[in-house]
Amino acid sequence: MRKVNKRNAYHWSRLDNAALIYPSLATRDATRVFRLYCQFRQNVDPEALQRASDRALERYPEFAHTIRSGFFWHYREHTGLKPVVHEENQTPCYPLYSSNVHGLLIDISYYRCRLNFEIFHGLADGLGAAVFFHSLVLLYLEEAGLTERAVETMAAPAPLSAREDDAFRRYMADAKGKKTAPLLGSSRGRVYHFTGHRLPDRRQLVTEICVSTRRIRTAAKEYGATVTAFLSALLLLSIRETMPANQRTRKICLSVPVNLRGHFASDTLRNFFSIVEIWYDPVTSGGDLERIVGEVRQALEQELTEENLGGKINQQVKIGKSVTIRVVPLLIKEPVIQAAKRLSERNSTMVFSNVGRMTFPEEAAAQVVQCGVYLSSATRQLVAATFDDRMVLSFAGTLVEKDVERAFLRRLAQYDDAIQVTANYGEGVWNAREV
């Protein structure tokens, strides 16, 4: 990490409401780090990437913050550091946050033709990270001489005050009167959870499944559903297929992150998302895909209402503003936060996030093969990311068993007979390899 001019650089600010818990929850298994990557048609030029990284941080200096521990809460502080670009030398989503080391919470690396950007969730959510990542990719292509005038193709950054806005607090006023969401999520009975073995170093094992965007959209349309609803149904049935016989009476719950900017206008690059739940009963709902797609579609329609999302905002801000909670020292808060998280995770089987389409100007898009996103998990999580006609579905987690991934792949193969699969485990653990 390189130092930059410290003049006016060191200042502190509060964490947004969603980020308050992440420093307390970061563990070796679930690092709360996620990765965005872009795969180009030729190998990455490290020097060009370093120049692009410096320029991207000049556009978005808020990504040079670290997180420190205060007496009552964690808080953000500018580091005056810039990331040093390096060849990938760690497993995906390696820990970036440590309560004892106050360095950068972003990392920029490369491996052959891939550019990797990793970030600690306490700093930003997926949309916020994607804004920085988009600039990084375009600036890199310009610095590498593969495109011209990258800055001219990028929208001007929103004002710093808008990018740094805690949208949860701002929209709590609009959400007043709306029903407050349950603190620990809803519960509809005993929930199925994954079990299995892990490697000693608890590394994230990643399985990428690349399918045709067009074919998946066509299949979803045939069922009258969105891509998110269709893939959620396939995932639910894949989990059902791999459940032990003595667990089949348990419910399956998918936790689906929702970008709140689509419902409450905001330019913030900090965390501004919520979680909605999709419940599935293997016993009563059975294994008919059409029925499951319909149930998922209906569940999403019910969850994604202004009243429901407003209630989630209320609950999020209520916790941070509670006088009782605020006056409790952080040393006492942390184990309580960790216990509350364990309780909430009892009501969730896994997370599935569809980050949507990544787009670039035509000249830049011609240099890109695909984009993908990984999200660290103590068990397994799935993220879908789309570029052009390539949708990358990335499973990540510490479990060695890959039965759910194989079942999901078999179901996808019914709609695309040219699926590509890559993984970072097995022989050549550092390299993505076709399997």
Side-chain angles (χ1 to χ4, degrees), residues 40 42-56 58-59 85 115 135-151 154 363-364 367:
F40 301 111
Q42 53 188 280
N43 287 349
V44 171
D45 178 343
E47 294 182 359
L49 181 56
Q50 183 66 68
R51 295 192 297 270
S53 170
D54 293 346
R55 291 176 63 186
E58 289 174 2
R59 288 173 65 86
V85 168
L115 184 164
S135 292
L136 178 64
V137 170
L138 293 182
L139 291 169
Y140 165 72
L141 291 173
E142 181 186 274
E143 290 289 348
L146 300 173
T147 61
E148 297 180 359
R149 301 181 298 278
V151 174
M154 291 187 284
E363 185 183 22
Q367 303 295 328

Short mmCIF file of all heavy atoms in Angstrom, two decimals, residues 40 42-56 58-59 85 115 135-151 154 363-364 367:
data_model
loop_
_atom_site.label_atom_id
_atom_site.label_comp_id
_atom_site.label_asym_id
_atom_site.label_seq_id
_atom_site.Cartn_x
_atom_site.Cartn_y
_atom_site.Cartn_z
N PHE A 40 -10.65 -10.27 -19.74
CA PHE A 40 -10.39 -9.63 -21.02
C PHE A 40 -9.96 -10.65 -22.07
O PHE A 40 -9.75 -11.83 -21.77
CB PHE A 40 -9.30 -8.56 -20.85
CG PHE A 40 -9.64 -7.49 -19.86
CD1 PHE A 40 -8.96 -7.40 -18.65
CD2 PHE A 40 -10.65 -6.58 -20.12
CE1 PHE A 40 -9.28 -6.42 -17.73
CE2 PHE A 40 -10.98 -5.59 -19.20
CZ PHE A 40 -10.29 -5.51 -18.00
N GLN A 42 -7.13 -10.45 -23.63
CA GLN A 42 -5.68 -10.61 -23.56
C GLN A 42 -5.23 -10.38 -22.13
O GLN A 42 -5.97 -9.85 -21.30
CB GLN A 42 -4.98 -9.65 -24.52
CG GLN A 42 -5.36 -8.20 -24.38
CD GLN A 42 -4.75 -7.36 -25.48
OE1 GLN A 42 -3.58 -7.00 -25.41
NE2 GLN A 42 -5.53 -7.06 -26.50
N ASN A 43 -4.00 -10.81 -21.83
CA ASN A 43 -3.50 -10.72 -20.46
C ASN A 43 -3.44 -9.29 -19.96
O ASN A 43 -3.24 -8.34 -20.72
CB ASN A 43 -2.10 -11.35 -20.38
CG ASN A 43 -2.16 -12.87 -20.47
OD1 ASN A 43 -3.22 -13.47 -20.40
ND2 ASN A 43 -1.01 -13.49 -20.65
N VAL A 44 -3.60 -9.15 -18.65
CA VAL A 44 -3.60 -7.83 -18.02
C VAL A 44 -2.18 -7.26 -17.98
O VAL A 44 -1.20 -7.97 -17.69
CB VAL A 44 -4.16 -7.93 -16.58
CG1 VAL A 44 -3.97 -6.63 -15.83
CG2 VAL A 44 -5.63 -8.34 -16.62
N ASP A 45 -2.07 -5.98 -18.25
CA ASP A 45 -0.80 -5.24 -18.16
C ASP A 45 -0.73 -4.64 -16.75
O ASP A 45 -1.49 -3.72 -16.43
CB ASP A 45 -0.78 -4.13 -19.22
CG ASP A 45 0.49 -3.27 -19.15
OD1 ASP A 45 1.19 -3.31 -18.11
OD2 ASP A 45 0.75 -2.54 -20.11
N PRO A 46 0.15 -5.14 -15.87
CA PRO A 46 0.17 -4.69 -14.47
C PRO A 46 0.43 -3.19 -14.32
O PRO A 46 -0.19 -2.54 -13.47
CB PRO A 46 1.31 -5.51 -13.85
CG PRO A 46 1.48 -6.69 -14.75
CD PRO A 46 1.15 -6.21 -16.12
N GLU A 47 1.33 -2.63 -15.11
CA GLU A 47 1.64 -1.21 -14.98
C GLU A 47 0.45 -0.36 -15.39
O GLU A 47 0.15 0.66 -14.74
CB GLU A 47 2.87 -0.87 -15.83
CG GLU A 47 4.16 -1.54 -15.33
CD GLU A 47 5.37 -1.15 -16.16
OE1 GLU A 47 5.21 -0.38 -17.14
OE2 GLU A 47 6.47 -1.62 -15.83
N ALA A 48 -0.23 -0.74 -16.46
CA ALA A 48 -1.41 -0.01 -16.87
C ALA A 48 -2.50 -0.11 -15.81
O ALA A 48 -3.23 0.86 -15.54
CB ALA A 48 -1.92 -0.54 -18.22
N LEU A 49 -2.63 -1.29 -15.19
CA LEU A 49 -3.64 -1.47 -14.16
C LEU A 49 -3.33 -0.62 -12.93
O LEU A 49 -4.24 -0.07 -12.31
CB LEU A 49 -3.74 -2.95 -13.77
CG LEU A 49 -4.78 -3.30 -12.71
CD1 LEU A 49 -6.17 -2.83 -13.11
CD2 LEU A 49 -4.79 -4.82 -12.46
N GLN A 50 -2.05 -0.47 -12.59
CA GLN A 50 -1.69 0.38 -11.45
C GLN A 50 -2.06 1.84 -11.72
O GLN A 50 -2.62 2.53 -10.86
CB GLN A 50 -0.19 0.27 -11.16
CG GLN A 50 0.27 1.07 -9.95
CD GLN A 50 -0.32 0.56 -8.66
OE1 GLN A 50 0.00 -0.53 -8.22
NE2 GLN A 50 -1.20 1.35 -8.05
N ARG A 51 -1.79 2.30 -12.92
CA ARG A 51 -2.16 3.67 -13.27
C ARG A 51 -3.68 3.85 -13.23
O ARG A 51 -4.18 4.87 -12.75
CB ARG A 51 -1.61 4.05 -14.64
CG ARG A 51 -0.08 4.09 -14.72
CD ARG A 51 0.39 4.74 -16.01
NE ARG A 51 -0.01 3.99 -17.19
CZ ARG A 51 0.70 3.01 -17.76
NH1 ARG A 51 1.86 2.65 -17.21
NH2 ARG A 51 0.27 2.40 -18.84
N ALA A 52 -4.39 2.86 -13.73
CA ALA A 52 -5.84 2.93 -13.72
C ALA A 52 -6.39 2.92 -12.29
O ALA A 52 -7.33 3.65 -11.96
CB ALA A 52 -6.43 1.75 -14.50
N SER A 53 -5.77 2.12 -11.42
CA SER A 53 -6.19 2.06 -10.02
C SER A 53 -6.02 3.42 -9.35
O SER A 53 -6.91 3.90 -8.63
CB SER A 53 -5.36 1.01 -9.28
OG SER A 53 -5.56 1.08 -7.89
N ASP A 54 -4.88 4.08 -9.60
CA ASP A 54 -4.65 5.40 -9.02
C ASP A 54 -5.69 6.41 -9.50
O ASP A 54 -6.21 7.21 -8.71
CB ASP A 54 -3.25 5.89 -9.38
CG ASP A 54 -2.15 5.05 -8.74
OD1 ASP A 54 -2.46 4.28 -7.81
OD2 ASP A 54 -0.98 5.17 -9.17
N ARG A 55 -6.01 6.36 -10.78
CA ARG A 55 -6.98 7.30 -11.34
C ARG A 55 -8.39 7.02 -10.81
O ARG A 55 -9.16 7.94 -10.52
CB ARG A 55 -6.96 7.23 -12.87
CG ARG A 55 -5.69 7.78 -13.49
CD ARG A 55 -5.70 7.58 -15.01
NE ARG A 55 -6.78 8.32 -15.65
CZ ARG A 55 -7.08 8.22 -16.95
NH1 ARG A 55 -6.39 7.37 -17.72
NH2 ARG A 55 -8.07 8.94 -17.47
N ALA A 56 -8.73 5.74 -10.68
CA ALA A 56 -10.06 5.40 -10.17
C ALA A 56 -10.23 5.88 -8.73
O ALA A 56 -11.30 6.38 -8.34
CB ALA A 56 -10.28 3.89 -10.25
N GLU A 58 -8.74 8.44 -7.42
CA GLU A 58 -8.88 9.90 -7.46
C GLU A 58 -10.33 10.30 -7.72
O GLU A 58 -10.81 11.30 -7.19
CB GLU A 58 -7.97 10.48 -8.54
CG GLU A 58 -6.49 10.41 -8.21
CD GLU A 58 -5.61 10.85 -9.36
OE1 GLU A 58 -6.18 11.25 -10.42
OE2 GLU A 58 -4.37 10.80 -9.23
N ARG A 59 -11.03 9.51 -8.54
CA ARG A 59 -12.44 9.78 -8.81
C ARG A 59 -13.32 9.43 -7.61
O ARG A 59 -14.32 10.10 -7.34
CB ARG A 59 -12.91 8.97 -10.03
CG ARG A 59 -12.37 9.47 -11.36
CD ARG A 59 -12.75 8.53 -12.48
NE ARG A 59 -14.18 8.45 -12.72
CZ ARG A 59 -14.87 9.28 -13.50
NH1 ARG A 59 -14.25 10.28 -14.12
NH2 ARG A 59 -16.17 9.11 -13.67
N VAL A 85 -1.23 -2.71 -6.97
CA VAL A 85 -1.71 -3.79 -7.83
C VAL A 85 -0.72 -4.95 -7.79
O VAL A 85 0.50 -4.74 -7.80
CB VAL A 85 -1.89 -3.27 -9.27
CG1 VAL A 85 -2.10 -4.42 -10.24
CG2 VAL A 85 -3.05 -2.28 -9.32
N LEU A 115 -8.96 -9.30 -14.28
CA LEU A 115 -8.78 -8.19 -13.35
C LEU A 115 -9.72 -8.44 -12.18
O LEU A 115 -10.94 -8.59 -12.38
CB LEU A 115 -9.10 -6.87 -14.05
CG LEU A 115 -8.90 -5.54 -13.30
CD1 LEU A 115 -8.90 -4.39 -14.29
CD2 LEU A 115 -9.98 -5.28 -12.26
N SER A 135 -15.45 2.06 -13.43
CA SER A 135 -14.44 3.07 -13.75
C SER A 135 -13.06 2.44 -13.88
O SER A 135 -12.29 2.79 -14.77
CB SER A 135 -14.41 4.16 -12.66
OG SER A 135 -15.58 4.93 -12.68
N LEU A 136 -12.75 1.50 -12.98
CA LEU A 136 -11.45 0.84 -13.01
C LEU A 136 -11.23 0.11 -14.33
O LEU A 136 -10.16 0.21 -14.94
CB LEU A 136 -11.35 -0.14 -11.84
CG LEU A 136 -10.06 -0.96 -11.73
CD1 LEU A 136 -8.86 -0.05 -11.48
CD2 LEU A 136 -10.19 -2.01 -10.62
N VAL A 137 -12.24 -0.60 -14.79
CA VAL A 137 -12.13 -1.35 -16.05
C VAL A 137 -11.92 -0.40 -17.22
O VAL A 137 -11.02 -0.61 -18.06
CB VAL A 137 -13.38 -2.22 -16.28
CG1 VAL A 137 -13.39 -2.80 -17.70
CG2 VAL A 137 -13.44 -3.35 -15.26
N LEU A 138 -12.73 0.65 -17.31
CA LEU A 138 -12.61 1.57 -18.43
C LEU A 138 -11.27 2.30 -18.42
O LEU A 138 -10.64 2.50 -19.47
CB LEU A 138 -13.76 2.58 -18.41
CG LEU A 138 -15.16 2.01 -18.68
CD1 LEU A 138 -16.19 3.13 -18.67
CD2 LEU A 138 -15.19 1.26 -20.00
N LEU A 139 -10.82 2.72 -17.24
CA LEU A 139 -9.54 3.41 -17.15
C LEU A 139 -8.39 2.47 -17.48
O LEU A 139 -7.39 2.88 -18.09
CB LEU A 139 -9.37 4.00 -15.75
CG LEU A 139 -10.31 5.17 -15.42
CD1 LEU A 139 -10.26 5.50 -13.93
CD2 LEU A 139 -9.95 6.40 -16.26
N TYR A 140 -8.51 1.20 -17.07
CA TYR A 140 -7.47 0.24 -17.42
C TYR A 140 -7.37 0.07 -18.94
O TYR A 140 -6.26 0.07 -19.50
CB TYR A 140 -7.73 -1.12 -16.77
CG TYR A 140 -6.88 -2.19 -17.42
CD1 TYR A 140 -5.51 -2.24 -17.20
CD2 TYR A 140 -7.43 -3.10 -18.32
CE1 TYR A 140 -4.70 -3.17 -17.84
CE2 TYR A 140 -6.64 -4.04 -18.96
CZ TYR A 140 -5.28 -4.07 -18.72
OH TYR A 140 -4.48 -4.97 -19.37
N LEU A 141 -8.48 -0.10 -19.60
CA LEU A 141 -8.46 -0.30 -21.06
C LEU A 141 -7.84 0.90 -21.76
O LEU A 141 -7.14 0.75 -22.76
CB LEU A 141 -9.87 -0.56 -21.57
CG LEU A 141 -10.48 -1.91 -21.15
CD1 LEU A 141 -11.95 -1.98 -21.57
CD2 LEU A 141 -9.70 -3.07 -21.76
N GLU A 142 -8.08 2.09 -21.22
CA GLU A 142 -7.45 3.29 -21.80
C GLU A 142 -5.96 3.30 -21.54
O GLU A 142 -5.15 3.55 -22.44
CB GLU A 142 -8.09 4.55 -21.22
CG GLU A 142 -7.50 5.84 -21.80
CD GLU A 142 -8.05 7.08 -21.11
OE1 GLU A 142 -9.11 7.56 -21.52
OE2 GLU A 142 -7.39 7.54 -20.15
N GLU A 143 -5.56 3.01 -20.29
CA GLU A 143 -4.14 3.02 -19.94
C GLU A 143 -3.37 1.94 -20.69
O GLU A 143 -2.18 2.11 -21.00
CB GLU A 143 -3.97 2.82 -18.43
CG GLU A 143 -4.42 3.98 -17.57
CD GLU A 143 -3.49 5.19 -17.69
OE1 GLU A 143 -2.37 5.04 -18.26
OE2 GLU A 143 -3.88 6.28 -17.24
N ALA A 144 -4.04 0.84 -21.01
CA ALA A 144 -3.39 -0.25 -21.75
C ALA A 144 -3.38 0.00 -23.25
O ALA A 144 -2.85 -0.83 -24.02
CB ALA A 144 -4.09 -1.57 -21.45
N GLY A 145 -3.97 1.12 -23.68
CA GLY A 145 -3.99 1.44 -25.11
C GLY A 145 -4.99 0.65 -25.91
O GLY A 145 -4.90 0.58 -27.14
N LEU A 146 -5.98 0.07 -25.23
CA LEU A 146 -6.97 -0.76 -25.92
C LEU A 146 -8.23 0.03 -26.28
O LEU A 146 -9.03 -0.41 -27.10
CB LEU A 146 -7.35 -1.96 -25.05
CG LEU A 146 -6.17 -2.89 -24.70
CD1 LEU A 146 -6.61 -3.95 -23.70
CD2 LEU A 146 -5.62 -3.54 -25.97
N THR A 147 -8.42 1.17 -25.63
CA THR A 147 -9.51 2.08 -25.97
C THR A 147 -8.99 3.50 -25.86
O THR A 147 -7.88 3.73 -25.36
CB THR A 147 -10.73 1.92 -25.04
OG1 THR A 147 -10.31 2.22 -23.69
CG2 THR A 147 -11.30 0.51 -25.10
N GLU A 148 -9.79 4.45 -26.29
CA GLU A 148 -9.41 5.86 -26.21
C GLU A 148 -10.45 6.64 -25.41
O GLU A 148 -11.63 6.31 -25.41
CB GLU A 148 -9.29 6.46 -27.61
CG GLU A 148 -8.20 5.83 -28.47
CD GLU A 148 -8.12 6.46 -29.85
OE1 GLU A 148 -8.93 7.38 -30.13
OE2 GLU A 148 -7.25 6.05 -30.64
N ARG A 149 -9.99 7.66 -24.70
CA ARG A 149 -10.85 8.62 -24.02
C ARG A 149 -11.89 7.95 -23.13
O ARG A 149 -13.10 8.15 -23.28
CB ARG A 149 -11.54 9.52 -25.04
CG ARG A 149 -10.56 10.31 -25.91
CD ARG A 149 -11.29 11.22 -26.88
NE ARG A 149 -12.12 10.45 -27.81
CZ ARG A 149 -11.66 9.87 -28.91
NH1 ARG A 149 -10.38 9.96 -29.22
NH2 ARG A 149 -12.47 9.21 -29.72
N ALA A 150 -11.40 7.13 -22.20
CA ALA A 150 -12.31 6.41 -21.30
C ALA A 150 -13.15 7.37 -20.47
O ALA A 150 -14.35 7.14 -20.27
CB ALA A 150 -11.51 5.49 -20.38
N VAL A 151 -12.54 8.44 -19.99
CA VAL A 151 -13.25 9.37 -19.11
C VAL A 151 -14.45 9.98 -19.83
O VAL A 151 -15.52 10.20 -19.22
CB VAL A 151 -12.31 10.48 -18.61
CG1 VAL A 151 -13.08 11.52 -17.82
CG2 VAL A 151 -11.21 9.87 -17.74
N MET A 154 -17.56 7.89 -19.48
CA MET A 154 -18.09 7.64 -18.15
C MET A 154 -18.93 8.81 -17.68
O MET A 154 -18.60 9.97 -17.93
CB MET A 154 -16.94 7.42 -17.15
CG MET A 154 -16.17 6.13 -17.35
SD MET A 154 -14.98 5.82 -16.02
CE MET A 154 -13.69 6.97 -16.45
N GLU A 363 -16.71 0.22 -27.57
CA GLU A 363 -15.27 0.02 -27.79
C GLU A 363 -14.66 -0.81 -26.66
O GLU A 363 -13.83 -1.69 -26.90
CB GLU A 363 -14.56 1.37 -27.89
CG GLU A 363 -13.09 1.26 -28.25
CD GLU A 363 -12.38 2.61 -28.29
OE1 GLU A 363 -12.88 3.57 -27.66
OE2 GLU A 363 -11.32 2.70 -28.94
N ALA A 364 -15.08 -0.53 -25.42
CA ALA A 364 -14.56 -1.28 -24.28
C ALA A 364 -15.14 -2.69 -24.24
O ALA A 364 -14.44 -3.66 -23.94
CB ALA A 364 -14.88 -0.53 -22.98
N GLN A 367 -13.42 -5.65 -25.79
CA GLN A 367 -12.24 -6.22 -25.15
C GLN A 367 -12.58 -7.15 -24.00
O GLN A 367 -11.70 -7.77 -23.42
CB GLN A 367 -11.35 -5.08 -24.61
CG GLN A 367 -10.91 -4.07 -25.65
CD GLN A 367 -10.01 -4.69 -26.70
OE1 GLN A 367 -9.25 -5.63 -26.41
NE2 GLN A 367 -10.07 -4.19 -27.92
#
